[in-house]
Amino acid sequence: MAVIGQDISQAKRILDAGELVAIPTETVYGLAGNALNPVAVASIFETKNRPSFDPLIIHVPSLLVAHKYVRDIPKPLRKLAEHFWPGPLTLLLPRKNSIPDIVTSGLDRVAVRVPDHPLTLELLAQLLFPLAAPSANPFGYISPTSPQHVDAQLGSKISYILDGGKCKVGLESTIVGMEEDEIVVYRLGGLEISEIEGVVGQVEVKSHSTSNPQAPGLLESHYAPAKPFLIGDLETLILDQKKKGVDFAVLSLNKEFDSIPMENQIALSPSSDLKEAATHLFAAMRTLDESNVTVILAELMPETGLGNAINDRLKRAATKG
Ligand code: TXA
Ligand code: MG
């Protein structure tokens, strides 16, 4: 198992040596390595079992430092960065040659963000390179929102997890770029569309395409628990499972079912607060996946605020067919 601690100098030593450290961010934990070192970046792909066509986000301590690695920041995107960094926003920007091909899977744009976590910002400020970091989970599984989640799955492959506690947003960053003059959202995430539109006006959301050349990582099946995960109307799903005599657990926004044992049900936010629901989502999915039921039943969230981003994750976690 990995050491879980708060020693920034230790994390820096490991990263300086070209090895990997799991880092906390406000969204999810990242599996970080020196983005300028192709060997370190290759070991990120290997550790996660991630296909090499799925590019990585680089993390920098500030907008000022981001300029070192990109040729240009179009004005609307600069406005977004000024408003929301540090925060759950990733920008796709034309990369400079110092960013190795392996980081972007050969694409001309590099994904950049300034994460909002004091330990990671301090670490980034001390490093002479940006950190390439995908979510610190095996490819295709649920993203980690605590050091224990990282340790459970990658603890045998990395030596250190920087302990920043539980992630306060709990959903990955919203990914934004430009096509001609249009502002495009490629992945729904922890920064709401309405907040983005409040700063730059209307945007186009393209995050649902299945074979997506612009954001190859947005595969239809992702964030998936090992158990069958069914989404729909909970009353109907529960009746079906009862008829079949199958053991199940229930994931809802705010419901409590008298007929189901408490340990087999999780309400993400009893007060229907979608930010709170987002914070708990991935941990709840893990807890139910590790419980001893056979099937997990879940409902979609209202389509407002972070509800759309949560639904995106639930739909991609759902068992297909
Ligand atoms: O909140 C987050 O974004 C977290 C934390 C650790 O920062 N990171 C994260 O990374 O979610 P990852 O690798 O799990 O997801 C990154 C997504 C992938 O879907 C990838 O395809 C897309 O960003 N992406 C990265 N670079 C890209 C690029 N150059 N062009 C298009 N899409 C890109
Ligand atoms: Mg991921």
Side-chain angles (χ1 to χ4, degrees), residues 102-143:
I102 186 171
V103 171
T104 66
S105 308
L107 296 169
D108 181 51
R109 293 190 294 187
V110 60
V112 186
R113 87 178 192 100
V114 180
D116 186 15
H117 193 290
L119 278 183
T120 293
L121 284 172
E122 177 59 36
L123 173 65
L124 287 168
Q126 290 184 20
L127 294 171
L128 297 174
F129 45 81
L131 288 176
S135 51
N137 51 286
F139 184 71
Y141 194 66
I142 306 163
S143 297

Side-chain angles (χ1 to χ4, degrees), residues 27 50 54-55 57 59 109 113 134-135 173 175 187 214 217:
T27 60
R50 179 173 173 121
D54 191 3
I57 298 172
H59 298 69
R109 293 190 294 187
R113 87 178 192 100
S135 51
S173 59
I175 302 181
R187 177 174 73 181
Q214 297 293 339

